[in-house]
Amino acid sequence: MSEKKEPGVWDGFKAFLTRGNVVDLAVAVVIGAAFTNIVNSVVKGVINPLVGAIGTKNLDSYSSCLKGPCEKAADGTVSTGVMILWGSVLGAALSFVITAAVVYFLMVLPMAKYLARVEARRKAKEGAQEVIEVSELEVLKEIRDALVAQRGSGHDER
């Protein structure tokens, strides 16, 4: 009797690495990291100065004293009291919304429009091919009907 050898850890690891989705995921991570630099540059270089022209660029200084007296040390940490730093939360939320908007309007929306155009062209091409196939089928049916009619009329002449 021959015993079946279970695949080793190394074989499983090789199978894991050669699966297509691992490579796709690695490419996505690398492209995502590179794209992060572009998004951050747009946000820091264009969007933040525009927001800063309207209001303030740094919301970290906004806070409320929950239990006083509240005092901040020279390095910005709270030395006494309980302070809620709602400005930093608001700044992070705004940064997220701005970054999401940049990603959506500069990448997602144009890519979706491009893919929709490609799909429309593909469907139009398929439709044209289908019309050609239907017309060929109609011609073949007409030929068949003509042959049947000829055979039938030739059969009647005998």
Side-chain angles (χ1 to χ4, degrees):
M1 279 198 263
S2 65
E3 293 181 26
K4 287 188 176 181
K5 185 179 176 185
E6 289 187 27
V9 174
W10 184 247
D11 292 333
F13 183 66
K14 285 194 304 188
F16 171 74
L17 287 180
T18 56
R19 242 186 282 161
N21 31 355
V22 172
V23 174
D24 292 342
L25 181 60
V27 169
V29 168
V30 170
I31 294 296
F35 186 68
T36 299
N37 292 333
I38 295 171
V39 172
N40 288 339
S41 296
V42 170
V43 170
K44 289 177 185 172
V46 178
I47 305 296
N48 283 350
L50 291 174
V51 172
I54 297 169
T56 180
K57 288 196 305 189
N58 187 3
L59 297 173
D60 292 341
S61 62
Y62 293 99
S63 60
S64 296
C65 186
L66 187 62
K67 183 177 179 184
C70 292
E71 294 178 12
K72 284 187 179 180
D75 63 354
T77 60
V78 178
S79 58
T80 61
V82 177
M83 191 172 290
I84 297 179
L85 306 172
W86 58 269
S88 61
V89 174
L90 181 62
L94 280 174
S95 178
F96 171 77
V97 169
I98 290 169
T99 302
V102 167
V103 168
Y104 180 76
F105 289 112
L106 291 183
M107 277 304 288
V108 174
L109 189 61
M111 185 58 77
K113 287 183 179 182
Y114 170 75
L115 292 176
R117 281 195 310 265
V118 168
E119 183 66 18
R121 274 190 246 139
R122 186 188 65 76
K123 284 187 178 183
K125 199 174 190 180
E126 272 183 10
Q129 184 66 26
E130 197 171 288
V131 168
I132 291 171
E133 289 173 3
V134 168
S135 62
E136 288 176 359
L137 183 62
E138 292 299 320
V139 169
L140 290 172
K141 285 181 181 178
E142 288 176 12
I143 292 171
R144 179 200 63 199
D145 293 343
L147 289 172
V148 167
Q150 281 178 353
R151 188 178 293 161
S153 64
H155 185 62
D156 291 341
E157 290 176 3
R158 284 192 213 174

